[in-house]
């Protein structure tokens, strides 16, 4: 759930995939998983690693990436195995990259625009994946069913240098659900990542929707029940 503060050991599988190219740890999640970038100055490939007991989560992500890439900018799967997922880099930076710390309004707008593009692009009728497990089995009546990202926290939107959305990563929970399952979490994560108030309105305005306080409260409560920590 944050950028690493120093170098981390490079697992053998990552070193093998890098084949003598530069490797750096770019992200550590709350489950102990580490994502490495391969290549410099910017990574051209990424390897996401998860501790062995959670390896099955990457299999779910592989299925979803392979489906979604036909419709929207998401990472191309190059290879995967037990506990690791090797993808081609999307252009752009995470919305929580330090360059956006000074421009949280730009990041919030790009996250909203990006989620709207994702929801408009992914076809509900063709989607084989159901709602993310954290949504539970008694959601309120849907405002609009879309293919949700499923973990729409700010770091999972990538933003191009011209501040337009570049794509989405971390699609292991993608599936059909009410669009507020994404919007409630995306707006909540602005507080974790940028602090302060006011960016929620920027995000929802960029998405093109008025706030829905009841659905926002519902999905945030389900998320907080199920998720160990923000990502
Ligand atoms: N193919 C890719 N192209 C560009 N950036 C990537 C790619 N894969 C991973 N990243 C970067 O690495 C970070 C971590 O990847 P990802 O979100 O998939 O890992 P995670 O461990 O599931 O994260 P979380 O903490 O949200 O659970 C992303 O936020 C993004 O900055
Ligand atoms: Mg992530």
């Amino acid at each position: 759930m944050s950028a690493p503060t120093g170098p981390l050991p490079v697992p053998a599988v990552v070193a093998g995939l890098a084949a003598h190219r530069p490797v750096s740890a770019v992200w550590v999640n709350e489950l102990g998983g580490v994502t490495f970038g391969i290549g410099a100055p910017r990574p051209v490939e990424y390897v996401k690693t998860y501790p062995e007991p959670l390896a099955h989560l990457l299999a779910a992500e592989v299925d979803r990436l392979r489906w979604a890439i036909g419709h929207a900018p998401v990472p191309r799967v190059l290879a995967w195995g037990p506990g690791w997922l090797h993808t081609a880099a999307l252009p752009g930076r995470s919305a929580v990259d330090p360059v956006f710390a000074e421009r949280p309004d730009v990041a919030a707008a790009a996250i909203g625009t990006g989620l709207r593009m994702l929801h408009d692009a992914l076809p509900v009728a063709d989607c084989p994946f159901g709602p993310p497990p954290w949504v539970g089995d008694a959601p309120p009546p849907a405002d609009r069913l879309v293919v949700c990202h499923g973990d729409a926290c700010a770091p999972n939107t990538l933003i191009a240098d011209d501040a337009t959305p570049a794509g989405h990563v971390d699609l292991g929970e993608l599936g059909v659900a009410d669009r507020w399952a994404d919007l409630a979490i995306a707006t909540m994560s602005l507080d974790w990542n940028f602090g302060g108030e006011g960016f929620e309105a920027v995000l929802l305005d960029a998405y093109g929707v008025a706030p829905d306080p009841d659905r926002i409260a519902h999905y945030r409560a389900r998320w907080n029940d199920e998720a160990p920590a923000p990502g």
Side-chain angles (χ1 to χ4, degrees):
M1 54 187 275
S2 57
T5 49
L8 291 171
V10 177
V13 67
V14 177
L17 293 166
H20 304 296
R21 293 174 293 171
V23 177
S24 55
V26 297
W27 191 256
V28 180
N29 75 17
E30 75 275 13
L31 307 170
V34 182
T35 298
F36 296 88
I38 299 175
R42 283 194 183 186
V44 293
E45 298 166 14
Y46 286 84
V47 188
K48 176 167 165 171
T49 63
Y50 270 15
E52 205 64 42
L54 301 168
H56 62 283
L57 297 175
L58 294 179
E61 181 161 8
V62 168
D63 289 345
R64 286 161 175 77
L65 288 171
R66 286 181 170 158
W67 177 80
I69 199 168
H71 308 283
V74 304
R76 183 162 54 90
V77 176
L78 299 175
W80 70 287
W84 58 274
L85 168 58
H86 181 203
T87 60
L90 288 176
R93 303 165 192 274
S94 165
V96 299
D97 186 283
V99 302
F100 295 111
E102 304 289 310
R103 304 190 301 162
D105 50 332
V106 170
I111 293 167
T113 305
L115 286 173
R116 184 58 185 244
M117 290 167 68
L118 188 75
H119 292 169
D120 286 348
L122 297 175
V124 173
D126 295 342
C127 180
F129 310 110
W134 64 265
V135 163
D137 49 15
D143 164 36
R144 187 179 297 178
L145 279 180
V146 299
V147 179
C148 279
H149 179 285
D151 181 2
C153 304
N156 293 332
T157 295
L158 302 184
I159 304 176
D161 288 344
D162 67 358
T164 58
H168 291 90
V169 297
D170 206 358
L171 293 167
E173 299 204 71
L174 172 145
V176 175
D178 189 8
R179 59 186 179 173
W180 288 99
D182 276 351
L183 294 172
I185 305 316
T187 49
M188 180 166 62
S189 80
L190 296 175
D191 288 349
W192 305 326
N193 293 118
F194 301 121
E197 301 292 319
F199 302 123
E200 170 171 326
V202 173
L203 189 158
L204 294 179
D205 198 47
Y207 184 94
V209 70
D212 183 332
D214 291 345
R215 289 188 176 90
I216 287 175
H218 174 86
Y219 286 106
R220 287 182 183 176
R222 294 289 77 72
W223 175 276
N224 288 328
D225 288 344
E226 295 289 326

